[in-house]
PDB file of all heavy atoms in Angstrom:
ATOM      1  N   ALA A 342     -16.420  20.154   2.450  1.00 98.00           N
ATOM      2  CA  ALA A 342     -15.422  20.452   3.474  1.00 98.00           C
ATOM      3  C   ALA A 342     -15.072  21.940   3.480  1.00 98.00           C
ATOM      4  O   ALA A 342     -15.014  22.576   4.530  1.00 98.00           O
ATOM      5  CB  ALA A 342     -14.163  19.599   3.256  1.00 98.00           C
ATOM      6  N   PHE A 343     -14.848  22.508   2.295  1.00 98.00           N
ATOM      7  CA  PHE A 343     -14.445  23.912   2.246  1.00 98.00           C
ATOM      8  C   PHE A 343     -15.606  24.818   2.669  1.00 98.00           C
ATOM      9  O   PHE A 343     -15.427  25.767   3.440  1.00 98.00           O
ATOM     10  CB  PHE A 343     -13.934  24.269   0.846  1.00 98.00           C
ATOM     11  CG  PHE A 343     -13.207  25.605   0.760  1.00 98.00           C
ATOM     12  CD1 PHE A 343     -12.854  26.327   1.908  1.00 98.00           C
ATOM     13  CD2 PHE A 343     -12.846  26.130  -0.467  1.00 98.00           C
ATOM     14  CE1 PHE A 343     -12.176  27.546   1.826  1.00 98.00           C
ATOM     15  CE2 PHE A 343     -12.164  27.344  -0.569  1.00 98.00           C
ATOM     16  CZ  PHE A 343     -11.847  28.052   0.578  1.00 98.00           C
ATOM     17  N   GLU A 344     -16.800  24.505   2.198  1.00 98.00           N
ATOM     18  CA  GLU A 344     -17.938  25.357   2.582  1.00 98.00           C
ATOM     19  C   GLU A 344     -18.166  25.329   4.085  1.00 98.00           C
ATOM     20  O   GLU A 344     -18.389  26.364   4.718  1.00 98.00           O
ATOM     21  CB  GLU A 344     -19.207  24.937   1.829  1.00 98.00           C
ATOM     22  CG  GLU A 344     -19.118  25.249   0.335  1.00 98.00           C
ATOM     23  CD  GLU A 344     -20.495  25.453  -0.285  1.00 98.00           C
ATOM     24  OE1 GLU A 344     -21.048  26.559  -0.146  1.00 98.00           O
ATOM     25  OE2 GLU A 344     -21.008  24.514  -0.912  1.00 98.00           O
ATOM     26  N   LEU A 345     -18.090  24.125   4.665  1.00 98.00           N
ATOM     27  CA  LEU A 345     -18.308  24.026   6.109  1.00 98.00           C
ATOM     28  C   LEU A 345     -17.184  24.730   6.873  1.00 98.00           C
ATOM     29  O   LEU A 345     -17.429  25.484   7.819  1.00 98.00           O
ATOM     30  CB  LEU A 345     -18.398  22.550   6.535  1.00 98.00           C
ATOM     31  CG  LEU A 345     -18.661  22.331   8.018  1.00 98.00           C
ATOM     32  CD1 LEU A 345     -20.054  22.833   8.408  1.00 98.00           C
ATOM     33  CD2 LEU A 345     -18.528  20.847   8.399  1.00 98.00           C
ATOM     34  N   ALA A 346     -15.949  24.501   6.440  1.00 98.00           N
ATOM     35  CA  ALA A 346     -14.808  25.098   7.152  1.00 98.00           C
ATOM     36  C   ALA A 346     -14.874  26.622   7.099  1.00 98.00           C
ATOM     37  O   ALA A 346     -14.621  27.302   8.101  1.00 98.00           O
ATOM     38  CB  ALA A 346     -13.498  24.588   6.557  1.00 98.00           C
ATOM     39  N   ALA A 347     -15.229  27.159   5.941  1.00 98.00           N
ATOM     40  CA  ALA A 347     -15.275  28.616   5.796  1.00 98.00           C
ATOM     41  C   ALA A 347     -16.429  29.205   6.613  1.00 98.00           C
ATOM     42  O   ALA A 347     -16.309  30.295   7.185  1.00 98.00           O
ATOM     43  CB  ALA A 347     -15.411  28.983   4.322  1.00 98.00           C
ATOM     44  N   THR A 348     -17.532  28.476   6.681  1.00 98.00           N
ATOM     45  CA  THR A 348     -18.691  28.947   7.437  1.00 98.00           C
ATOM     46  C   THR A 348     -18.402  28.925   8.937  1.00 98.00           C
ATOM     47  O   THR A 348     -18.674  29.895   9.657  1.00 98.00           O
ATOM     48  CB  THR A 348     -19.911  28.032   7.129  1.00 98.00           C
ATOM     49  OG1 THR A 348     -20.052  27.943   5.719  1.00 98.00           O
ATOM     50  CG2 THR A 348     -21.177  28.593   7.722  1.00 98.00           C
ATOM     51  N   GLU A 349     -17.826  27.821   9.403  1.00 98.00           N
ATOM     52  CA  GLU A 349     -17.485  27.691  10.817  1.00 98.00           C
ATOM     53  C   GLU A 349     -16.427  28.722  11.212  1.00 98.00           C
ATOM     54  O   GLU A 349     -16.419  29.223  12.334  1.00 98.00           O
ATOM     55  CB  GLU A 349     -16.963  26.281  11.118  1.00 98.00           C
ATOM     56  CG  GLU A 349     -18.022  25.186  11.063  1.00 98.00           C
ATOM     57  CD  GLU A 349     -18.931  25.169  12.275  1.00 98.00           C
ATOM     58  OE1 GLU A 349     -19.572  26.203  12.555  1.00 98.00           O
ATOM     59  OE2 GLU A 349     -18.999  24.125  12.955  1.00 98.00           O
ATOM     60  N   ASN A 350     -15.542  29.021  10.296  1.00 98.00           N
ATOM     61  CA  ASN A 350     -14.471  29.982  10.580  1.00 98.00           C
ATOM     62  C   ASN A 350     -15.065  31.341  10.976  1.00 98.00           C
ATOM     63  O   ASN A 350     -14.636  31.956  11.958  1.00 98.00           O
ATOM     64  CB  ASN A 350     -13.570  30.111   9.348  1.00 98.00           C
ATOM     65  CG  ASN A 350     -12.308  30.903   9.616  1.00 98.00           C
ATOM     66  OD1 ASN A 350     -11.786  30.905  10.739  1.00 98.00           O
ATOM     67  ND2 ASN A 350     -11.815  31.582   8.596  1.00 98.00           N
ATOM     68  N   ILE A 351     -16.061  31.790  10.247  1.00 98.00           N
ATOM     69  CA  ILE A 351     -16.713  33.060  10.598  1.00 98.00           C
ATOM     70  C   ILE A 351     -17.423  32.929  11.937  1.00 98.00           C
ATOM     71  O   ILE A 351     -17.261  33.755  12.841  1.00 98.00           O
ATOM     72  CB  ILE A 351     -17.722  33.485   9.508  1.00 98.00           C
ATOM     73  CG1 ILE A 351     -16.972  33.816   8.209  1.00 98.00           C
ATOM     74  CG2 ILE A 351     -18.543  34.696   9.984  1.00 98.00           C
ATOM     75  CD1 ILE A 351     -17.856  34.320   7.092  1.00 98.00           C
ATOM     76  N   GLN A 352     -18.207  31.860  12.094  1.00 98.00           N
ATOM     77  CA  GLN A 352     -19.008  31.697  13.311  1.00 98.00           C
ATOM     78  C   GLN A 352     -18.126  31.666  14.562  1.00 98.00           C
ATOM     79  O   GLN A 352     -18.429  32.304  15.569  1.00 98.00           O
ATOM     80  CB  GLN A 352     -19.849  30.412  13.214  1.00 98.00           C
ATOM     81  CG  GLN A 352     -20.790  30.194  14.380  1.00 98.00           C
ATOM     82  CD  GLN A 352     -21.880  31.261  14.456  1.00 98.00           C
ATOM     83  OE1 GLN A 352     -22.181  31.922  13.475  1.00 98.00           O
ATOM     84  NE2 GLN A 352     -22.440  31.441  15.629  1.00 98.00           N
ATOM     85  N   ILE A 353     -17.034  30.936  14.478  1.00 98.00           N
ATOM     86  CA  ILE A 353     -16.194  30.763  15.664  1.00 98.00           C
ATOM     87  C   ILE A 353     -15.349  32.020  15.934  1.00 98.00           C
ATOM     88  O   ILE A 353     -14.902  32.253  17.047  1.00 98.00           O
ATOM     89  CB  ILE A 353     -15.380  29.453  15.551  1.00 98.00           C
ATOM     90  CG1 ILE A 353     -16.367  28.269  15.643  1.00 98.00           C
ATOM     91  CG2 ILE A 353     -14.296  29.339  16.634  1.00 98.00           C
ATOM     92  CD1 ILE A 353     -15.794  26.896  15.518  1.00 98.00           C
ATOM     93  N   HIS A 354     -15.201  32.863  14.938  1.00 98.00           N
ATOM     94  CA  HIS A 354     -14.534  34.154  15.169  1.00 98.00           C
ATOM     95  C   HIS A 354     -15.445  35.147  15.897  1.00 98.00           C
ATOM     96  O   HIS A 354     -14.967  36.129  16.459  1.00 98.00           O
ATOM     97  CB  HIS A 354     -14.078  34.775  13.845  1.00 98.00           C
ATOM     98  CG  HIS A 354     -12.680  34.399  13.449  1.00 98.00           C
ATOM     99  ND1 HIS A 354     -12.349  33.148  12.979  1.00 98.00           N
ATOM    100  CD2 HIS A 354     -11.518  35.102  13.459  1.00 98.00           C
ATOM    101  CE1 HIS A 354     -11.055  33.109  12.707  1.00 98.00           C
ATOM    102  NE2 HIS A 354     -10.512  34.282  12.994  1.00 98.00           N
ATOM    103  N   GLY A 355     -16.748  34.925  15.842  1.00 97.00           N
ATOM    104  CA  GLY A 355     -17.646  35.914  16.444  1.00 97.00           C
ATOM    105  C   GLY A 355     -17.704  37.171  15.580  1.00 97.00           C
ATOM    106  O   GLY A 355     -17.429  37.114  14.374  1.00 97.00           O
ATOM    107  N   GLY A 356     -18.019  38.300  16.206  1.00 97.00           N
ATOM    108  CA  GLY A 356     -18.253  39.554  15.488  1.00 97.00           C
ATOM    109  C   GLY A 356     -17.148  39.939  14.524  1.00 97.00           C
ATOM    110  O   GLY A 356     -17.428  40.382  13.403  1.00 97.00           O
ATOM    111  N   VAL A 357     -15.902  39.750  14.941  1.00 97.00           N
ATOM    112  CA  VAL A 357     -14.816  40.154  14.040  1.00 97.00           C
ATOM    113  C   VAL A 357     -14.849  39.363  12.743  1.00 97.00           C
ATOM    114  O   VAL A 357     -14.374  39.818  11.703  1.00 97.00           O
ATOM    115  CB  VAL A 357     -13.419  40.014  14.702  1.00 97.00           C
ATOM    116  CG1 VAL A 357     -13.272  40.994  15.857  1.00 97.00           C
ATOM    117  CG2 VAL A 357     -13.138  38.579  15.130  1.00 97.00           C
ATOM    118  N   GLY A 358     -15.444  38.163  12.806  1.00 97.00           N
ATOM    119  CA  GLY A 358     -15.539  37.326  11.617  1.00 97.00           C
ATOM    120  C   GLY A 358     -16.416  37.942  10.541  1.00 97.00           C
ATOM    121  O   GLY A 358     -16.301  37.601   9.365  1.00 97.00           O
ATOM    122  N   PHE A 359     -17.258  38.870  10.959  1.00 97.00           N
ATOM    123  CA  PHE A 359     -18.180  39.511  10.021  1.00 97.00           C
ATOM    124  C   PHE A 359     -17.631  40.840   9.520  1.00 97.00           C
ATOM    125  O   PHE A 359     -18.292  41.564   8.800  1.00 97.00           O
ATOM    126  CB  PHE A 359     -19.549  39.694  10.705  1.00 97.00           C
ATOM    127  CG  PHE A 359     -20.646  40.134   9.788  1.00 97.00           C
ATOM    128  CD1 PHE A 359     -21.008  39.363   8.682  1.00 97.00           C
ATOM    129  CD2 PHE A 359     -21.324  41.323  10.000  1.00 97.00           C
ATOM    130  CE1 PHE A 359     -22.024  39.768   7.832  1.00 97.00           C
ATOM    131  CE2 PHE A 359     -22.350  41.734   9.145  1.00 97.00           C
ATOM    132  CZ  PHE A 359     -22.696  40.956   8.059  1.00 97.00           C
ATOM    133  N   THR A 360     -16.420  41.185   9.927  1.00 98.00           N
ATOM    134  CA  THR A 360     -15.867  42.462   9.464  1.00 98.00           C
ATOM    135  C   THR A 360     -15.095  42.299   8.164  1.00 98.00           C
ATOM    136  O   THR A 360     -14.522  41.235   7.895  1.00 98.00           O
ATOM    137  CB  THR A 360     -14.889  43.062  10.496  1.00 98.00           C
ATOM    138  OG1 THR A 360     -13.785  42.158  10.667  1.00 98.00           O
ATOM    139  CG2 THR A 360     -15.579  43.289  11.831  1.00 98.00           C
ATOM    140  N   TRP A 361     -15.096  43.385   7.412  1.00 97.00           N
ATOM    141  CA  TRP A 361     -14.311  43.430   6.177  1.00 97.00           C
ATOM    142  C   TRP A 361     -12.826  43.290   6.504  1.00 97.00           C
ATOM    143  O   TRP A 361     -12.051  42.701   5.752  1.00 97.00           O
ATOM    144  CB  TRP A 361     -14.597  44.749   5.454  1.00 97.00           C
ATOM    145  CG  TRP A 361     -14.031  44.797   4.066  1.00 97.00           C
ATOM    146  CD1 TRP A 361     -12.818  45.285   3.699  1.00 97.00           C
ATOM    147  CD2 TRP A 361     -14.652  44.296   2.884  1.00 97.00           C
ATOM    148  NE1 TRP A 361     -12.632  45.127   2.351  1.00 97.00           N
ATOM    149  CE2 TRP A 361     -13.755  44.529   1.815  1.00 97.00           C
ATOM    150  CE3 TRP A 361     -15.880  43.685   2.610  1.00 97.00           C
ATOM    151  CZ2 TRP A 361     -14.039  44.165   0.497  1.00 97.00           C
ATOM    152  CZ3 TRP A 361     -16.158  43.328   1.284  1.00 97.00           C
ATOM    153  CH2 TRP A 361     -15.246  43.565   0.261  1.00 97.00           C
ATOM    154  N   GLU A 362     -12.447  43.838   7.667  1.00 97.00           N
ATOM    155  CA  GLU A 362     -11.031  43.881   8.034  1.00 97.00           C
ATOM    156  C   GLU A 362     -10.437  42.484   8.247  1.00 97.00           C
ATOM    157  O   GLU A 362      -9.323  42.203   7.832  1.00 97.00           O
ATOM    158  CB  GLU A 362     -10.887  44.703   9.313  1.00 97.00           C
ATOM    159  CG  GLU A 362      -9.450  44.867   9.759  1.00 97.00           C
ATOM    160  CD  GLU A 362      -9.347  45.429  11.177  1.00 97.00           C
ATOM    161  OE1 GLU A 362     -10.362  45.952  11.683  1.00 97.00           O
ATOM    162  OE2 GLU A 362      -8.260  45.327  11.754  1.00 97.00           O
ATOM    163  N   TYR A 363     -11.153  41.611   8.937  1.00 97.00           N
ATOM    164  CA  TYR A 363     -10.649  40.251   9.147  1.00 97.00           C
ATOM    165  C   TYR A 363     -10.720  39.450   7.848  1.00 97.00           C
ATOM    166  O   TYR A 363     -11.490  39.780   6.953  1.00 97.00           O
ATOM    167  CB  TYR A 363     -11.437  39.555  10.273  1.00 97.00           C
ATOM    168  CG  TYR A 363     -10.818  39.793  11.628  1.00 97.00           C
ATOM    169  CD1 TYR A 363     -10.801  41.072  12.187  1.00 97.00           C
ATOM    170  CD2 TYR A 363     -10.226  38.757  12.339  1.00 97.00           C
ATOM    171  CE1 TYR A 363     -10.219  41.303  13.413  1.00 97.00           C
ATOM    172  CE2 TYR A 363      -9.637  38.980  13.576  1.00 97.00           C
ATOM    173  CZ  TYR A 363      -9.635  40.253  14.112  1.00 97.00           C
ATOM    174  OH  TYR A 363      -9.050  40.479  15.324  1.00 97.00           O
ATOM    175  N   ASP A 364      -9.922  38.392   7.771  1.00 98.00           N
ATOM    176  CA  ASP A 364      -9.811  37.662   6.503  1.00 98.00           C
ATOM    177  C   ASP A 364     -10.839  36.550   6.312  1.00 98.00           C
ATOM    178  O   ASP A 364     -10.881  35.928   5.251  1.00 98.00           O
ATOM    179  CB  ASP A 364      -8.402  37.057   6.393  1.00 98.00           C
ATOM    180  CG  ASP A 364      -7.343  38.138   6.237  1.00 98.00           C
ATOM    181  OD1 ASP A 364      -7.631  39.137   5.538  1.00 98.00           O
ATOM    182  OD2 ASP A 364      -6.251  37.985   6.803  1.00 98.00           O
ATOM    183  N   CYS A 365     -11.655  36.291   7.343  1.00 98.00           N
ATOM    184  CA  CYS A 365     -12.592  35.156   7.241  1.00 98.00           C
ATOM    185  C   CYS A 365     -13.407  35.186   5.952  1.00 98.00           C
ATOM    186  O   CYS A 365     -13.659  34.154   5.331  1.00 98.00           O
ATOM    187  CB  CYS A 365     -13.562  35.151   8.413  1.00 98.00           C
ATOM    188  SG  CYS A 365     -12.765  35.069  10.018  1.00 98.00           S
ATOM    189  N   HIS A 366     -13.837  36.402   5.564  1.00 98.00           N
ATOM    190  CA  HIS A 366     -14.727  36.461   4.404  1.00 98.00           C
ATOM    191  C   HIS A 366     -14.037  36.062   3.110  1.00 98.00           C
ATOM    192  O   HIS A 366     -14.684  35.623   2.165  1.00 98.00           O
ATOM    193  CB  HIS A 366     -15.407  37.841   4.295  1.00 98.00           C
ATOM    194  CG  HIS A 366     -14.493  38.990   3.997  1.00 98.00           C
ATOM    195  ND1 HIS A 366     -14.589  39.732   2.850  1.00 98.00           N
ATOM    196  CD2 HIS A 366     -13.471  39.536   4.705  1.00 98.00           C
ATOM    197  CE1 HIS A 366     -13.672  40.709   2.875  1.00 98.00           C
ATOM    198  NE2 HIS A 366     -12.996  40.603   3.988  1.00 98.00           N
TER     199      HIS A 366
END
Side-chain angles (χ1 to χ4, degrees):
Chain A
F343 193 10
E344 291 206 81
L345 182 66
T348 308
E349 289 284 57
N350 189 30
I351 294 183
Q352 184 65 21
I353 292 178
H354 269 73
V357 294
F359 189 59
T360 62
W361 190 267
E362 182 192 345
Y363 270 66
D364 292 323
C365 302
H366 66 117

